[in-house]
Amino acid sequence: MEVTRISRHVVAYTPSIAEVELMFERVRPELGSQTSLDTVRRIMSANPNTFQAFARRESFDWAAPRAEGFIAWLPLSESGRTALLTGLFDGANPAGEHLAAQHEKPAAIYVWAIYAPGRLAGGIALAFDRMSTPLNREADLYAWGPTAAGRRLIASLGFVPIESQEGGGRFGLSIFRRGAPSTLAAVELAPLYDSYPSATSTFSVTVVRSADDLARVMSVRSAAFVGEQACPYEEEFDGNDFSSTHLLGFVNNEPAASIRVRCFANFAKAERLAVRPEFRRSRLAFVIVKAAHELCRVKGYRRIYGHAQKDLVDFWSRAGGRPFPGAREFTFSDHSYVEMMSEVPPHPDAITIGTDPYTIIRPEGRWHAPGVLERSASRAVTLHSADPALRKQRRA
């Protein structure tokens, strides 16, 4: 965008908190935002530079400004940038440690929200120009397009989907490079489904690989389904738990959510999502569902099927699912359900026949790191495995 030309028609300025509150409440339904006004006040009080308002020049009056659009961005600390790239950043209520202070050089800048209809879109260029101060000009910009319109907008601004360049990317997240080449390629970022609790992240998810973690899953599900919903024990623990992949979600170090995945010929099924009551106001449910979808993508699945309780269809819709043509409604365990489907893009590094065999034998969900069997390849081949006669004798 040509800033000089556009500035003839649009004014960009820093609004007051009162003006931000009025504008935010007016456009929140259109944005579909889950962010509270308290969070907006907290962010803007800590760093007023995070909001820029737009107005048409011909109608702008500084004595009585009235914002017609806005852009909000978040300067991220290094831990915030890592959380964003690994899917653990809570965009609805960003943690304080993930944000850089007004006087600090950010590790990245996250475009939090844009509302700029019609000619006001020119204000985005003015705002980006303001993001190029000496303190900010080397920080790469990141944006997430949750809708088709949002993805078109950020693509028109020069953002490039991370997945097209870096295997560590997350679906929907795009980057606008400005400074030195990103160090992301040199840093091994664990995928969302293998992000054990750490000091820099509130939420984390891991694939269950031990009896202890499986016991944690059972305790979460017992609290949610057996305790709250009075689901009979034999119906909740239905015989599929030892043939499924389970994911366990944490809030800090506390096991707080679980979901399991079962794989079929051309689809995977995500099911038994459970979140402990005290953590349901957090975004952990979305984080663990996203982790499950990412796991399915790496295993080569494009369709993720599920049964949603009818009163939770809205949640699953926001998590990427939809009732599909011919979807059936049915009941079990005293609840009504509807069939839903999430269609996800192919993963650039999906595991298929032809993938490195050492990758395929790595532990479930840890295909990004060398495993114990891979390391064993450095040992010499033994006589028993090299001599067919000895192998036959040993089996006998």
Side-chain angles (χ1 to χ4, degrees), residues 292-304:
H293 285 187
E294 187 74 359
L295 180 83
C296 294
R297 291 180 65 222
V298 174
K299 298 192 79 164
Y301 289 98
R302 299 285 309 280
R303 298 191 299 170
I304 303 168

Side-chain angles (χ1 to χ4, degrees), residues 259-262 268-273 292-293 296 304-307 316:
I259 193 170
R260 79 181 184 191
V261 175
R262 292 194 293 140
K269 184 174 186 292
E271 58 190 19
R272 292 299 200 274
L273 171 64
H293 285 187
C296 294
I304 303 168
Y305 171 79
H307 301 154
W316 285 103

Side-chain angles (χ1 to χ4, degrees), residues 11-27:
V11 174
Y13 65 97
T14 301
S16 66
I17 286 186
E19 193 173 5
V20 169
E21 291 175 353
L22 288 172
M23 181 169 48
F24 186 74
E25 284 295 277
R26 189 172 74 245
V27 305

Side-chain angles (χ1 to χ4, degrees), residues 288-355:
I288 197 169
V289 169
K290 184 177 179 181
H293 285 187
E294 187 74 359
L295 180 83
C296 294
R297 291 180 65 222
V298 174
K299 298 192 79 164
Y301 289 98
R302 299 285 309 280
R303 298 191 299 170
I304 303 168
Y305 171 79
H307 301 154
Q309 287 187 12
K310 292 188 71 174
D311 58 348
L312 293 176
V313 167
D314 181 62
F315 164 81
W316 285 103
S317 296
R318 287 186 285 138
R322 60 177 178 80
F324 51 88
R328 291 159 291 189
E329 296 184 7
F330 58 104
T331 63
F332 66 85
S333 293
D334 310 312
H335 288 273
S336 297
Y337 292 84
V338 60
E339 293 180 299
M340 296 188 75
M341 184 80 72
S342 297
E343 295 185 277
V344 296
H347 195 282
D349 297 315
I351 297 171
T352 64
I353 294 178
T355 297

Side-chain angles (χ1 to χ4, degrees), residues 353-369:
I353 294 178
T355 297
D356 186 333
Y358 286 120
T359 299
I360 295 174
I361 61 175
R362 290 171 181 172
E364 182 79 1
R366 199 163 280 166
W367 304 290
H368 57 286

